[in-house]
Amino acid sequence: MAVVHVLDNYYLAITFLITVGYQLSFFAIAFSLKFDKLTDFAGGTNFVVLAVVTLAFSGHDNARQIVVSLFIMVWGLRLSGFLLFRILKTGKDDRFDDKRDKFFPFLGFWVFQMVWVWTVSLPVTVLNSPNVTQYNQPAFGTGRDIAGVVLYAIGIIIESVSDVQKYLFKANVKDKTAVCDRGFFAWSRHPNYFGEIIIQFVSPAADGYVDGQAFKALYATILGPFFLTILLMFVSGLPLSERPGAKKRYEKRQNWEQYSEYLHRTSILIPFPPQIYTKLPTIVKRTIFLEFPIYVFDPAKHSDQSNGQRSAEEGRRIQSGSTTSHGQSEDQDQNTQN
């Protein structure tokens, strides 16, 4: 097959335009019909579309490009299929309750999804581009290839199995506030995030046979995995689930004692035996295991109930002090009169 050259030889422009058009199409449906069940489906399948298009445009049957592209296709289809199934079961997406009827706030989410898809797809996009495929490749099976396959296998198993474990737990447990500490969740509080991060580092790990500008471009695509990692760790993943989730359990008394013990013995992201993790010093948990202070919930500092109790106690102390002072003033007046 002949190589297709479109706009630029790294396929950056064409994939960007495809992503914008794809997401805007789904946005038009979602906003017009006030229907947000296809939001995550649009994100996941967009990865598949970009992988298929760039692989087809590359005009090559190199095993390396095919394997990496298939990896992303399988991941995208599994993720979008699972999220679509879950939203159809739950009925609505609470993330959009304050945006669904507002054009620009709702559009803002879709623009962000465009950036997410295009950036995270960069490793596959550039790998399939003419500036990379023009180089002669070693036979598939190098150390980098094996490392990529192993990473992907670990990541896809952890992510997909943990998603199913969490769903089945919530579907079958009678107490909806119970703590899911089974399967992968016994070793990590967010094993699905850990698996997803590993998967996205597959493409950079599988490369290494090009040189010149293409070499620089190929390794610059590690921006994609790092972008995803930053999102999950500092923007939309852990920050929205860790401290807010603990705060909700504490204030509403939703198995807080059990959950507090779970937090103490279970790694936040990297799977690790809980019997060992619970004995580790705090400095090790904060550094090696990435449990940064921004995730930690301290009832004395972060609970509205605790703040309210402190305010009430301060108010009572002030009132008590005022009463005492008033009483002392009256005593002094009486003594003066006497």
Side-chain angles (χ1 to χ4, degrees):
M1 294 176 61
V3 178
V4 178
H5 297 266
V6 185
L7 299 178
D8 66 84
N9 286 336
Y10 287 112
Y11 291 154
L12 300 179
I14 186 60
T15 53
F16 177 77
L17 293 176
I18 290 174
T19 300
V20 171
Y22 194 78
Q23 294 302 315
L24 286 180
S25 298
F26 277 97
F27 164 73
I29 297 173
F31 184 75
S32 299
L33 303 179
K34 302 298 182 286
F35 183 78
D36 51 29
K37 293 182 174 62
L38 295 178
T39 307
D40 291 322
F41 179 81
T45 54
N46 202 156
F47 287 100
V48 180
V49 171
L50 296 186
V52 170
V53 169
T54 56
L55 181 62
F57 283 177
S58 71
H60 286 268
D61 56 0
N62 298 321
R64 189 165 289 102
Q65 271 75 17
I66 294 174
V67 169
V68 174
S69 298
L70 284 175
F71 279 175
I72 298 302
M73 293 177 202
V74 170
W75 169 75
L77 287 173
R78 189 215 69 84
L79 180 64
S80 57
F82 171 76
L83 294 178
L84 178 62
F85 169 79
R86 190 177 67 179
I87 191 63
L88 290 176
K89 287 290 185 179
T90 57
K92 60 177 288 190
D93 195 331
D94 295 335
R95 294 175 300 173
F96 305 110
D97 287 345
D98 60 341
K99 300 181 181 69
R100 195 177 292 110
D101 298 325
K102 302 175 182 177
F103 182 87
F104 287 106
F106 195 39
L107 176 62
F109 171 85
W110 291 85
V111 171
F112 182 81
Q113 186 155 273
M114 296 175 196
V115 176
W116 169 61
V117 171
W118 184 81
T119 304
V120 176
S121 292
L122 284 175
V124 174
T125 298
V126 176
L127 182 66
N128 288 334
S129 68
N131 277 357
V132 172
T133 57
Q134 66 178 327
Y135 289 91
N136 293 325
Q137 300 187 26
F140 183 81
T142 65
R144 292 175 180 270
D145 295 328
I146 295 173
V149 172
V150 171
L151 281 173
Y152 181 84
I154 294 173
I156 197 71
I157 290 173
I158 292 177
E159 184 187 29
S160 56
V161 172
S162 60
D163 278 343
V164 174
Q165 288 174 339
K166 188 68 169 284
Y167 176 80
L168 292 177
F169 178 84
K170 289 185 174 182
N172 297 323
V173 71
K174 293 182 179 179
D175 182 3
K176 297 306 179 182
T177 67
V179 179
C180 180
D181 56 358
R182 304 174 185 177
F184 284 122
F185 289 91
W187 284 43
S188 169
R189 304 205 294 268
H190 301 278
N192 50 337
Y193 290 167
F194 179 76
E196 186 170 353
I197 289 172
I198 289 180
I199 290 171
Q200 297 308 323
F201 278 94
V202 167
S203 297
D207 307 328
Y209 53 87
V210 300
D211 54 29
Q213 196 64 34
F215 176 88
K216 297 177 181 178
L218 196 56
Y219 276 87
T221 63
I222 201 170
L223 169 67
F226 274 117
F227 180 71
L228 175 71
T229 303
I230 291 172
L231 286 182
L232 292 178
M233 292 192 64
F234 302 108
V235 181
S236 62
L238 300 182
L240 297 183
S241 59
E242 277 296 305
R243 183 180 291 177
K247 179 181 178 181
K248 179 180 178 181
R249 283 184 176 274
Y250 176 80
E251 294 182 346
K252 295 187 176 182
R253 295 296 185 263
Q254 297 178 341
N255 284 312
W256 167 246
E257 290 75 14
Q258 181 185 1
Y259 187 70
S260 180
E261 294 177 0
Y262 177 68
L263 295 177
H264 179 68
R265 71 173 184 267
T266 311
S267 170
I268 189 172
L269 185 66
I270 304 171
F272 200 74
Q275 300 85 350
I276 301 176
Y277 187 81
T278 190
K279 299 177 181 179
L280 295 176
T282 301
I283 187 63
V284 175
K285 294 179 180 180
R286 295 285 189 271
T287 54
I288 297 176
F289 288 93
L290 310 176
E291 190 158 349
F292 303 132
I294 60 173
Y295 309 135
V296 178
F297 171 72
D298 183 349
K301 296 179 180 178
H302 307 126
S303 173
D304 294 336
Q305 290 181 351
S306 298
N307 293 334
Q309 291 173 356
R310 285 199 298 270
S311 298
E313 291 174 358
E314 291 176 358
R316 286 194 294 269
R317 284 198 299 268
I318 293 173
Q319 184 176 8
S320 176
S322 299
T323 303
T324 302
S325 300
H326 182 66
Q328 291 175 347
S329 298
E330 289 181 348
D331 292 341
Q332 291 175 355
D333 293 341
Q334 291 176 358
N335 291 333
T336 300
Q337 293 175 0
N338 293 333

